[in-house]
Amino acid sequence: MGVFDFLYQDIAIDLGTVNTLVYVRGRGIVLNQPSIIAFNRTTGAVVAIGSSAERMFEKTHSNISVVKPLADGVIADYEAAEALIRGFMREIQKKFSIGIRRMVVGIPSGITEVEKRAVRDSAEHAGAREVYLVSEPMAAAIGLELDIDAPFGNMIVDIGGGTSDIAVISLSGVATGESIRVAGNEITNAILEHFRRVYNLAIGEKTAEEIKKKIGSAAELEEELIVTVKGRNLVTSLPERRDAISEPINQIINAIKRCLEKVPPELSADVLDRGIMLTGGGALIKELDKRIGKETKLSGSEKLWKI
Ligand SMILES: Nc1ncnc2c1ncn2[C@@H]1O[C@H](COP(=O)(O)OP(=O)(O)OP(=O)(O)O)[C@@H](O)[C@H]1O
Ligand SMILES: [Mg+2]
């Protein structure tokens, strides 16, 4: 600690498979952009990061490579991840004229020591002097302002792009957890696959993602939704009825059920009483909250929150 402390800020970063968020103490969330980076293939120079790199995705010419450095919640391309964090840090430092001393980074709860090391190294190489890792369900619980220190069980389900993290938190620790590498992206892939198999139609990832958001559902919908893909009218809740996305959704629900079975008896009453806190973009798929409520018998959607 020294006289120039005011020039430094503590920040927190959620380096997600799909989206990266950065929080600066006292300023709130200052960045929310896709975890994507574009390089010049010849020189290796960074051409764009975040939203501007996303616009190049699936549209690039041969001299630009667009990379998603994270897969399944963990760093898949170390150099690209480091460049991405550095790029975001630079944007923030420039915008707010601050240096970064301490950095908290969210990590999926199921990650290995090697994977943790990769996150820590990337953050340090990108310029953070002190790096702290926090499990994402714990971060979500703190964000929800739950009383995590109390001897009560709170169940958090974070369905992101790459991982679904399920944890019962009590006394500032994870009492029971499950983490599977099946989340929103797998649902998108299932849609891609469905279109290839059933309609013999090759669609891009972006299109599959749009279809998912418009008509994807974890249970049958009362009213059928329609989406137009390359000039064809397709009706759904079909992906669910025709099993297009039921596989990944069932895997997520089964993981939640498995976790519920493992909850120690002294905490299970709390979970039954409070319900499940759902978070993450993948949790936004239609009817998922109701379906989880039904399958876990946690008496319906009023016990489920979406953020
Ligand atoms: N309205 C929506 N309906 C369905 N899925 C959605 C919706 N909005 C976002 N998603 C999905 O949410 C996922 C991204 O969520 P989120 O930003 O929480 O992931 P992440 O934190 O980057 O990933 P992870 O935590 O797994 O590393 C994507 O798969 C995206 O398609
Ligand atoms: Mg996430």
Side-chain angles (χ1 to χ4, degrees):
M1 292 289 142
V3 282
F4 293 112
D5 275 357
F6 66 92
L7 294 174
Y8 291 92
Q9 278 285 8
D10 295 338
I11 73 161
I13 176 162
D14 174 356
L15 188 62
T17 311
V18 179
N19 297 302
T20 296
L21 278 83
V22 179
Y23 173 94
V24 176
R25 191 198 286 272
R27 297 180 201 264
I29 292 169
V30 297
L31 186 140
N32 179 359
Q33 291 199 36
S35 309
I36 305 185
I37 184 160
F39 294 99
N40 178 311
R41 271 187 216 275
T42 321
T43 63
V46 175
V47 181
I49 59 168
S51 312
S52 45
E54 188 188 35
R55 286 193 282 276
M56 299 175 173
F57 191 61
E58 290 179 350
K59 291 190 203 148
T60 50
H61 54 80
S62 57
N63 202 32
I64 291 180
S65 76
V66 183
V67 180
K68 294 183 178 178
L70 283 102
D72 301 336
V74 297
I75 293 177
D77 181 332
Y78 184 82
E79 275 173 32
E82 197 180 307
L84 185 74
I85 302 175
R86 182 175 294 131
F88 285 147
M89 291 306 102
R90 218 171 262 161
E91 268 184 28
I92 290 161
Q93 287 175 322
K94 244 193 349 218
K95 198 162 157 197
F96 300 111
S97 313
I98 51 165
I100 288 154
R101 176 169 286 147
R102 293 185 294 192
M103 191 191 280
V104 177
V105 192
I107 48 163
S109 54
I111 99 177
T112 65
E113 287 306 314
V114 174
E115 290 163 343
K116 273 187 204 166
R117 185 78 243 164
V119 173
R120 188 182 287 282
D121 286 351
S122 303
E124 281 171 0
H125 291 164
R129 298 195 195 170
E130 289 173 45
V131 177
Y132 300 86
L133 306 181
V134 58
S135 95
E136 281 162 10
M138 186 65 80
I142 295 166
L144 281 163
E145 297 184 354
L146 300 177
D147 189 2
I148 56 158
D149 302 328
F152 296 116
N154 282 299
M155 189 173 203
I156 310 283
V157 174
D158 176 359
I159 305 171
T163 50
S164 294
D165 244 322
I166 304 148
V168 174
I169 289 168
S170 175
L171 294 169
S172 308
V174 175
T176 313
E178 275 274 337
S179 179
I180 57 165
R181 295 182 178 193
V182 175
N185 289 354
E186 284 279 322
I187 302 175
T188 304
N189 286 341
I191 291 174
L192 266 172
E193 190 50 32
H194 178 80
F195 273 80
R196 206 184 51 75
R197 217 181 43 237
V198 178
Y199 303 106
N200 201 16
L201 202 64
I203 56 170
E205 205 178 296
K206 270 191 182 169
T207 311
E209 175 112 7
E210 277 166 30
I211 295 170
K212 173 177 77 172
K213 289 183 184 167
K214 281 197 190 131
I215 63 174
S217 174
E220 267 187 44
L221 296 166
E222 271 169 30
E223 127 194 51
E224 282 188 330
L225 299 172
I226 296 176
V227 71
T228 306
V229 181
K230 291 189 179 162
R232 295 204 212 179
N233 276 334
L234 300 165
V235 180
T236 201
S237 52
L238 287 186
E240 166 60 21
R241 220 185 290 152
R242 288 193 184 167
D243 282 345
I245 60 171
S246 59
E247 171 80 32
I249 288 185
N250 288 341
Q251 287 184 31
I252 295 168
I253 291 176
N254 288 337
I256 297 173
K257 285 183 177 169
R258 267 199 310 276
C259 189
L260 274 171
E261 280 167 16
K262 289 189 296 185
V263 178
E266 63 276 19
L267 298 178
S268 61
D270 301 333
V271 175
L272 288 176
D273 187 42
R274 290 158 188 239
I276 299 172
M277 273 30 98
L278 267 181
T279 177
L284 292 172
I285 198 141
K286 291 183 206 4
E287 303 292 303
L288 185 64
D289 50 352
K290 286 198 199 117
R291 171 93 186 270
I292 294 172
K294 206 166 120 203
E295 296 225 10
T296 58
K297 307 206 174 51
L298 286 179
S299 58
S301 51
E302 76 277 8
K303 290 269 169 78
L304 297 160
W305 286 267
K306 245 191 222 171
I307 59 163

